[in-house]
Amino acid sequence: MFRETLHVLKGNFLWHYLKARHGIGERSALLILTGENEKVDSYAVQYLQAYVQRCKADRVYVWTGQGGLFEKARKACSIPVRRFRMTEKQLRLLFDYYCFYRFFPNPVFTYINQPKDNQLGKLLLRGGVDEEEIVCLGLYNLRIVPGKNKS
Amino acid sequence: MDSIEQKKAEHVLKRLVKKGFFQDKKVFFFGASDHTRQVIQSLREYQIEPEGILDNDKKKRNEYCARVKVILPEDVQNPSDKKYVYLICSPFWREMRTQLMDCGVGKGHIAYFNVWEESFFALIYNAYKGKQIYRRLLKKYGDLPILFCPYTGTGDVYLSGTFLEQYIRQEEIRDFVFLVVNNACGKVAGIFQIDNVETLRFIEESIWLIDYYRLCPSRIPLKILNDSWKRVHANKLEWFRGYNGWNFMELFRTFVFNLPDEARPQTPVLADAGEEVEKLFRENGLKASRTVVISPYANTLADLPDSFWSVIVDYLKENGYAVCTNCGGKHEPPLAGTVPVFFSLTVAPQFIERAGYFIGVRSGLCDVISAAKAKKIILYDRDNWFYNCKAYEYFSLNHMGLCDDAIEIEFDNQKLDQCREEILGYF
């Protein structure tokens, strides 16, 4: 338990450092495009505006390994979209920390198979839903899928 | 809302009443949900009736939650009026607060329930306490897998019981600990004659154990028997409840037990409880095959006014039935003119079989007695939503495959007479 505690403690320090560095406030949203599933990332960008409206955010920070997606996010959103900067190693640490402690009201990591309790990947494999629904209902909690007008 | 949250909500409410927060004010809730419904019930204990429930979801407009009308936020004229107060019982409280404050509502006119957030270090301490619980289990049972029902709802435990045998066969588990949060849940597990049923000492232990699991998932062989337990926030299935017609059973089957679509819930073989049931009948003056057990209380779903029940009770008594109310405690008083009975959940199906008739608002007890061979009338509030579908669609006993002989009625709060007539038509 000591090792795990130390690990999330590092995550805690990292988050406070990143928060201060980026000037993240309570009304910000944070989107981490993990690259685990490209379609999920792409829909996450497509519905980013709906998400920020739902959480009443006044700015959004996006982390992505792909510059193209960041540009799309900027175009898709009516509020300021800023780049969230961290290394892949820091991303891993921040996610582990998030799995233990929900450190911020509006963080979205686009993982669908991690951690092991995350069942979104399994839901996708099972069929009956696609990546668009995974993003709108699972990651963003929009309660509807605006593109399908289905709930 | 679990019992810890409910306790906290009642505490907050008491404090607000004492402070005079509601004095000469019109009360609005924000967000039509199960949490809101439960707080409304607690609020009514202080003779305070809400004016309405605001919800941004247009499809809920004009529907009812705990008999209170759901309206859109823009339907409130002059929302910043000083005579209005707003209660929020939602994890989305920040967004709701922002929305209200953007309309000019002052901070002092908003109160919050269900928004308790723990600090990071409190969670670490919880995890440490969770480790002690795990040590206790290790000492007693050894390194066995722990199948844990974290919710106090007996329906969840019953449903888990119906899939348990198929699950342990599939996973080739030889022995395990079945961990529950209270005695009622332990009794439901008893219906399935599960060995090694362990009950936590108090409800907070479930939080600590899960926090330990979240910190050290590889160090504890814990399996959480819930499709989307909110403390495990990295599992995002919640809003798929009822989506595409997926019901309670299907989500448990697929996402809790990992079983194929062909798997069906297996109802338990009921043990012989003749003596205990007979004793209850004798002591309460009930008649075999001529007793109607009424269960008017539910944790998650709707409730009905006393006036609705009194006509039913009178009619049944006039027609020679013995009528009793299933009472679980001081919050569940018997209906007027009925015999209060308290039977153990272990013998609930046998008790209903002997009675012959059951009328109940959909609750966990309905799952437990679903296998009883009796006339079972189960009531669902037509306006009650559970995530992405109507409560009836999600919780129907017949649709879930827990039985095929339940008489399931969706009632309209505006037309309760119709529902009552339908019920009486079965007698």
Side-chain angles (χ1 to χ4, degrees):
Chain A
M1 187 178 165
F2 178 74
R3 206 170 51 199
E4 286 88 351
T5 305
L6 204 61
H7 186 64
V8 291
L9 206 54
K10 280 184 197 165
N12 179 274
F13 290 142
L14 173 66
W15 167 244
H16 285 291
Y17 164 71
L18 292 171
K19 196 174 156 190
R21 190 173 115 178
H22 292 88
I24 295 174
E26 206 189 56
R27 284 190 67 179
S28 305
L30 178 61
L31 172 64
I32 311 290
L33 299 164
T34 61
E36 189 192 40
N37 180 313
E38 280 181 19
K39 271 188 170 175
V40 167
D41 282 2
S42 168
Y43 279 117
V45 169
Q46 186 179 325
Y47 287 107
L48 184 58
Q49 174 66 17
Y51 176 63
V52 297
Q53 271 175 350
R54 184 191 68 64
C55 63
K56 313 267 182 244
D58 59 7
R59 75 178 65 172
V60 57
Y61 292 86
V62 177
W63 184 90
T64 172
Q66 295 179 41
L69 273 181
F70 178 76
E71 282 311 312
K72 278 186 189 165
R74 215 153 62 169
K75 283 178 189 154
C77 242
S78 61
I79 58 168
V81 179
R82 307 262 165 86
R83 200 179 266 280
F84 191 72
R85 292 177 196 282
M86 63 179 165
T87 63
E88 298 248 359
K89 202 176 158 193
Q90 287 175 326
L91 160 66
R92 195 61 244 172
L93 180 57
L94 195 66
F95 182 64
D96 289 346
Y97 174 50
Y98 166 76
C99 291
F100 176 64
Y101 182 61
R102 196 186 163 96
F103 54 82
F104 185 60
N106 305 310
V108 172
F109 291 81
T110 60
Y111 284 122
I112 58 170
N113 292 304
Q114 298 179 52
K116 69 171 183 176
D117 292 300
N118 187 347
Q119 306 252 31
L120 292 177
K122 190 170 153 190
L123 178 65
L124 199 58
L125 278 178
R126 182 189 189 269
V129 296
D130 59 19
E131 288 83 355
E132 192 176 7
E133 289 156 309
I134 292 284
V135 168
C136 293
L137 298 172
L139 298 179
Y140 284 166
N141 281 345
L142 296 181
R143 301 170 190 206
I144 55 162
V145 185
K148 298 192 172 180
N149 196 21
K150 188 179 164 188
S151 68
Chain B
M1 196 187 296
D2 63 38
S3 48
I4 299 175
E5 289 172 331
Q6 201 170 343
K7 227 163 41 182
K8 285 181 178 172
E10 280 168 12
H11 179 73
V12 172
L13 203 56
K14 196 172 166 184
R15 196 164 42 82
L16 288 172
V17 171
K18 208 171 162 187
K19 249 174 61 179
F21 182 78
F22 300 106
Q23 208 160 12
D24 304 322
K25 295 282 194 288
K26 291 188 171 176
V27 180
F28 286 97
F29 278 81
F30 202 149
S33 68
D34 172 46
H35 293 177
T36 296
R37 194 186 68 77
Q38 290 186 30
V39 177
I40 289 174
Q41 284 178 337
S42 301
L43 193 64
R44 284 184 176 137
E45 288 177 17
Y46 297 96
Q47 283 76 49
I48 299 168
E49 189 62 29
E51 290 291 309
I53 300 169
L54 317 183
D55 200 296
N56 289 316
D57 189 346
K58 288 188 175 128
K59 73 181 179 221
K60 290 184 184 168
R61 191 185 199 179
N62 293 330
E63 299 212 335
Y64 287 80
C65 173
R67 306 195 301 277
V68 181
K69 197 171 184 176
V70 181
I71 55 176
L72 295 176
E74 48 267 38
D75 293 338
V76 182
Q77 298 203 334
N78 192 15
S80 58
D81 194 318
K82 296 267 185 287
K83 67 176 186 259
Y84 296 154
V85 289
Y86 299 88
L87 305 185
I88 299 178
C89 334
S90 165
F92 301 112
W93 63 275
R94 283 190 181 81
E95 294 91 313
M96 292 171 171
R97 178 185 63 184
T98 306
Q99 191 174 346
L100 288 172
M101 288 174 69
D102 286 350
C103 297
V105 177
K107 262 187 181 176
H109 287 250
I110 309 171
Y112 310 92
F113 298 84
N114 188 35
V115 294
W116 302 279
E117 284 169 2
E118 294 146 305
S119 72
F120 169 67
F121 293 100
L123 248 68
I124 296 278
Y125 184 50
N126 283 354
Y128 169 76
K129 289 186 280 188
K131 187 181 175 185
Q132 308 309 314
I133 298 165
Y134 178 49
R135 277 190 174 163
R136 191 172 82 212
L137 295 172
L138 261 179
K139 202 172 164 189
K140 188 167 175 187
Y141 297 103
D143 193 16
L144 292 180
I146 301 166
L147 308 182
F148 179 34
C149 293
Y151 186 46
T152 48
T154 46
D156 286 38
V157 183
Y158 186 85
L159 193 55
S160 295
T162 65
F163 284 121
L164 202 58
E165 209 179 303
Q166 297 170 79
Y167 174 71
I168 57 174
R169 209 181 311 130
Q170 176 184 272
E171 302 295 318
E172 296 176 352
I173 297 171
R174 288 199 178 160
D175 207 358
F176 59 91
V177 182
F178 194 82
L179 188 64
V180 294
V181 287
N182 62 24
N183 288 332
C185 294
K187 282 182 177 154
V188 176
I191 296 175
F192 293 90
Q193 288 149 30
I194 299 168
D195 295 331
N196 296 346
V197 176
E198 180 74 19
T199 305
L200 290 175
R201 290 174 183 168
F202 42 92
I203 188 91
E204 285 81 1
E205 286 197 336
S206 74
I207 290 175
W208 303 341
L209 192 66
I210 289 176
D211 287 350
Y212 176 55
Y213 168 72
R214 279 163 54 202
L215 182 64
C216 310
S218 59
R219 289 185 191 267
I220 171 168
L222 186 78
K223 164 90 179 160
I224 297 174
L225 302 182
N226 190 278
D227 56 325
S228 184
W229 189 241
K230 57 181 178 293
R231 207 153 179 93
V232 186
H233 57 264
N235 181 15
K236 306 273 191 183
L237 274 189
E238 196 176 44
W239 279 96
F240 288 97
R241 288 171 171 165
Y243 190 70
N244 276 348
W246 292 328
N247 66 27
F248 189 26
M249 181 277 286
E250 286 167 313
L251 284 181
F252 261 61
R253 178 179 62 197
T254 308
F255 299 105
V256 176
F257 293 104
N258 209 9
L259 290 166
D261 289 356
E262 302 78 62
R264 292 281 167 269
Q266 290 175 350
T267 51
V269 179
L270 301 180
D272 179 19
E275 216 169 284
E276 191 177 343
V277 172
E278 172 58 36
K279 191 172 165 229
L280 277 167
F281 266 66
R282 210 175 35 243
E283 283 172 358
N284 292 291
L286 306 176
K287 306 171 193 170
S289 308
R290 210 63 195 151
T291 292
V292 183
V293 182
I294 298 182
S295 175
Y297 305 106
N299 269 336
T300 313
L301 300 173
D303 44 13
L304 284 158
D306 288 349
S307 55
F308 172 85
W309 293 110
S310 63
V311 178
I312 292 177
V313 171
D314 291 346
Y315 176 89
L316 293 172
K317 284 170 78 178
E318 277 165 23
N319 285 276
Y321 292 93
V323 187
C324 59
T325 308
N326 168 47
C327 300
K330 65 173 178 141
H331 291 296
E332 298 183 352
L335 297 170
T338 68
V339 181
V341 287
F342 176 75
F343 45 83
S344 161
L345 288 167
T346 327
V347 299
Q350 297 91 325
F351 186 88
I352 301 301
E353 270 192 6
R354 188 163 172 82
Y357 300 88
F358 173 84
I359 307 173
V361 173
R362 180 69 171 94
S363 69
L365 178 66
C366 300
D367 299 85
V368 176
I369 59 107
S370 59
K373 288 176 187 64
K375 190 167 273 184
K376 302 172 293 244
I377 300 175
I378 317 292
L379 305 175
Y380 300 81
D381 185 341
R382 207 185 65 175
D383 298 329
N384 206 337
W385 281 79
F386 192 78
Y387 292 88
N388 256 319
C389 68
K390 299 272 184 183
Y392 167 70
E393 292 163 340
Y394 195 73
F395 289 111
S396 159
L397 297 178
N398 292 336
H399 292 172
M400 281 163 59
L402 291 184
C403 60
D404 56 8
D405 60 350
I407 299 160
E408 301 190 281
I409 301 173
E410 280 188 277
F411 62 84
D412 180 342
N413 275 297
Q414 308 307 307
K415 295 174 187 164
L416 287 179
D417 287 354
Q418 257 179 28
C419 171
R420 200 162 42 206
E421 289 309 307
E422 193 178 342
I423 293 170
L424 295 180
Y426 289 103
F427 293 91

